[in-house]
Amino acid sequence: MKSKRRRLNNYIDDAQGEAILPPEMFCEVLARLPVESILRFRSVCKSWCRIIQSPYFISLQLGVTKNRPFRFIVQSQCEADMSSLFLVDIEGLKAREIHLEKIKCRTRLKFKLPALGVRVFCDGLLCMASEKRLDPVCICNPITKESVILPLSRSKAHLVRHKLAFGFDQSSGKYKVIRDYRTSSNKHLSKFQIITLGESSWRQMTPHKIYAHLIGMLQCFGMDLSTG
Amino acid sequence: MSSSTDSPTLTTETTQLSPQPDTETAKPTKKITLKSSDNQIFEVEESVAMEFATVKSFFEDSPSTDTVPLPNVTAKPLSQVIEFCKEQIKFKANPDEAQKKKYNAEFVTEKSDKDLVDMIPVANYLEIKDLLDVLNQAVADRIENKSVEYVRSFFGIDNDFTAEEEAALRREHAWAYEGVDED
């Protein structure tokens, strides 16, 4: 509290009493804006651009938007047209197209992002994977057009089932992906793997352990463990 | 027999109890003096001043003071903030969410852009969370569909990007610059 007050004193002194909002106050206003306004206002000035990319702002903005779930991300199921996503605003009856080809990736891609389907999403991040292969699994932010490829499992196995769950673990403050897959050589046995974003490899899990993990994860959709 | 004599006494007791809140409001309330950075004096009721977390903690630290200096706050936004808090006290006494929403909406609608922006640091400094929420949302609503140039002049911000840097940012998310309101 004291440090906050001191900071406020400083900025007022600097500006000779002129009411100029310090950066942390811009955050509270900006976090309430829709995503296109936030992106647009990165070009207001350098300090706004910096604020918008700061971890503090990102978590603040997520907290605000979680209370207003008014956007949907839709991918066409038509094979010929998987290269686009649509960001749909139901209330405003607007849709924007996002081209997956334009998404940047830090590692060189040996595959095409659009060839993967969007399997699950959480907090506006997409978890993309193939239905037939374990590799690759990609997490991408369609708005900032950034993505990461999760560590590869180097398995050539052909899958008959590949279900993924993607969520935010409140206790560790990290995103996790859990998958349930069956290979064509053993069609009736489900295997489970888990990875925390930032880890170097997937870990095999027993269903029992997975349930324990799920309890800690707030948003975890898309996996039906009861049939395993 | 005894029960019938008891009951009238009980009723008189309850009737005596009910007017008590009135006598409490009738007694003179303590006034607190706030002094703005431009040396203007504001006398506010203690209940209003206690809405300002900063003032409240000031009094907890030094209870004997009679004037609270607010070196970061000028008179105009302070008077508007006091006006807002006075109303909020009434809603605290008689909760009416619909009326409160209506009042809050009117409060920001009639303010100029500058008034809203000037009140944010004051509400922040005095730590009035309800008002901050109302102000932040009102400012967000006013700039939501506006151009970058409009927002710069709204807040009085200088553009410190080079033309190339700005063009690069615009190219990156060209779609975010479509469909903005006329300035």
Side-chain angles (χ1 to χ4, degrees):
Chain A
M1 192 82 86
K2 278 217 169 105
S3 70
K4 187 176 166 191
R5 225 167 282 165
R6 201 169 318 123
R7 230 170 25 237
L8 284 169
N9 279 333
N10 286 346
Y11 93 83
I12 293 272
D13 292 346
D14 292 350
Q16 280 103 40
E18 273 287 303
I20 290 175
L21 292 171
E24 65 262 39
M25 283 185 226
F26 284 128
C27 281
E28 299 286 341
V29 171
L30 291 174
R32 288 169 162 79
L33 295 169
V35 66
E36 54 267 46
S37 306
I38 295 175
L39 288 174
R40 185 166 69 246
F41 297 155
R42 289 193 319 159
S43 57
V44 165
C45 64
K46 284 178 180 168
S47 82
W48 277 38
C49 189
R50 225 174 14 246
I51 291 165
I52 288 168
Q53 282 158 333
S54 69
Y56 171 74
F57 177 75
I58 291 166
S59 64
L60 186 73
Q61 198 257 342
L62 264 179
V64 175
T65 45
K66 265 183 183 159
N67 298 330
R68 319 179 295 191
F70 63 104
R71 296 284 173 103
F72 294 84
I73 295 170
V74 181
Q75 185 180 34
S76 159
Q77 288 302 305
C78 161
E79 288 253 340
D81 192 26
M82 295 245 292
S83 61
S84 294
L85 295 176
F86 292 91
L87 185 66
V88 183
D89 174 355
I90 298 284
E91 278 175 27
L93 294 174
K94 282 187 287 191
R96 287 191 188 277
E97 194 173 357
I98 296 163
H99 294 282
L100 289 176
E101 283 99 342
K102 291 186 182 157
I103 289 177
K104 295 173 282 196
C105 192
R106 280 179 226 158
T107 44
R108 271 189 65 207
L109 296 182
K110 292 201 183 82
F111 58 92
K112 281 198 170 138
L113 211 49
L116 303 175
V118 175
R119 309 302 298 279
V120 277
F121 39 87
C122 171
D123 294 344
L125 298 173
L126 312 176
C127 176
M128 305 179 76
S130 150
E131 284 194 329
K132 306 274 161 42
R133 302 274 175 208
L134 281 173
D135 295 331
V137 176
C138 172
I139 306 290
C140 84
N141 181 333
I143 303 301
T144 62
K145 300 197 161 47
E146 290 167 316
S147 69
V148 285
I149 304 290
L150 297 185
L152 304 175
S153 53
R154 314 255 175 228
S155 157
K156 295 263 186 286
H158 190 262
L159 305 182
V160 292
R161 171 192 176 98
H162 191 197
K163 295 211 167 209
L164 294 111
F166 173 41
F168 185 72
D169 181 351
Q170 289 270 318
S171 60
S172 64
K174 287 183 171 161
Y175 288 92
K176 292 187 177 196
V177 179
I178 298 175
R179 65 179 168 194
D180 159 9
Y181 64 94
R182 294 180 195 180
T183 61
S184 54
S185 58
N186 200 345
K187 285 183 182 165
H188 302 290
L189 180 70
S190 264
K191 289 186 176 172
F192 298 96
Q193 286 185 330
I194 184 167
I195 191 165
T196 300
L197 264 66
E199 281 180 343
S200 57
S201 63
W202 293 81
R203 283 174 285 144
Q204 292 288 341
M205 296 201 85
T206 60
H208 173 73
K209 266 194 165 173
I210 289 194
Y211 279 115
H213 263 276
L214 282 177
I215 292 166
M217 287 168 76
L218 253 191
Q219 295 194 336
C220 220
F221 309 109
M223 184 150 71
D224 182 8
L225 288 168
S226 58
T227 55
Chain B
M1 243 343 231
S2 65
S3 69
S4 64
T5 46
D6 274 358
S7 47
T9 358
L10 270 175
T11 38
T12 42
E13 254 176 19
T14 40
T15 42
Q16 276 174 347
L17 276 174
S18 57
Q20 246 189 353
D22 288 339
T23 48
E24 204 158 9
T25 47
K27 96 177 174 207
T29 50
K30 197 183 160 194
K31 296 266 186 183
I32 284 176
T33 309
L34 306 174
K35 191 174 154 197
S36 67
S37 62
D38 39 359
N39 292 322
Q40 293 224 32
I41 299 292
F42 292 85
E43 274 217 330
V44 295
E45 281 178 19
E46 190 181 13
S47 59
V48 175
M50 290 306 122
E51 289 288 291
F52 310 157
T54 312
V55 173
K56 197 176 173 198
S57 61
F58 185 93
F59 266 95
E60 280 161 6
D61 292 347
S62 40
S64 56
T65 22
D66 49 352
T67 303
V68 185
L70 299 171
N72 291 335
V73 178
T74 55
K76 193 180 181 198
L78 180 60
S79 68
Q80 290 169 335
V81 167
I82 291 171
E83 172 200 333
F84 178 87
C85 287
K86 274 185 183 164
E87 287 301 314
Q88 302 302 309
I89 299 270
K90 289 183 199 162
F91 293 125
K92 258 190 188 169
N94 300 302
D96 183 342
E97 274 307 308
Q99 274 305 111
K100 187 174 164 180
K101 256 193 169 161
K102 189 165 166 262
Y103 173 81
N104 290 354
E106 279 168 9
F107 178 80
V108 291
T109 312
E110 63 195 22
K111 299 284 181 292
S112 71
D113 293 346
K114 189 176 183 313
D115 284 348
L116 288 185
V117 174
D118 287 352
M119 263 190 285
I120 290 181
V122 177
N124 195 61
Y125 174 67
L126 296 174
E127 296 176 45
I128 312 161
K129 200 189 165 293
D130 285 356
L131 177 58
L132 258 185
D133 281 343
V134 169
L135 293 174
N136 286 329
Q137 189 59 51
V139 171
D141 291 344
R142 288 196 189 183
I143 63 171
E144 179 179 326
N145 288 318
K146 300 296 185 184
S147 70
V148 171
E149 293 74 18
Y150 182 95
V151 170
R152 283 186 195 130
S153 74
F154 188 101
F155 291 102
I157 296 172
D158 291 326
N159 176 17
D160 53 359
F161 284 115
T162 65
E164 292 78 30
E165 285 169 336
E166 194 179 339
L169 277 174
R170 282 177 184 259
R171 263 199 310 279
E172 221 175 298
H173 297 287
W175 60 277
Y177 294 82
E178 294 161 9
V180 295
D181 295 347
E182 300 266 320
D183 289 349

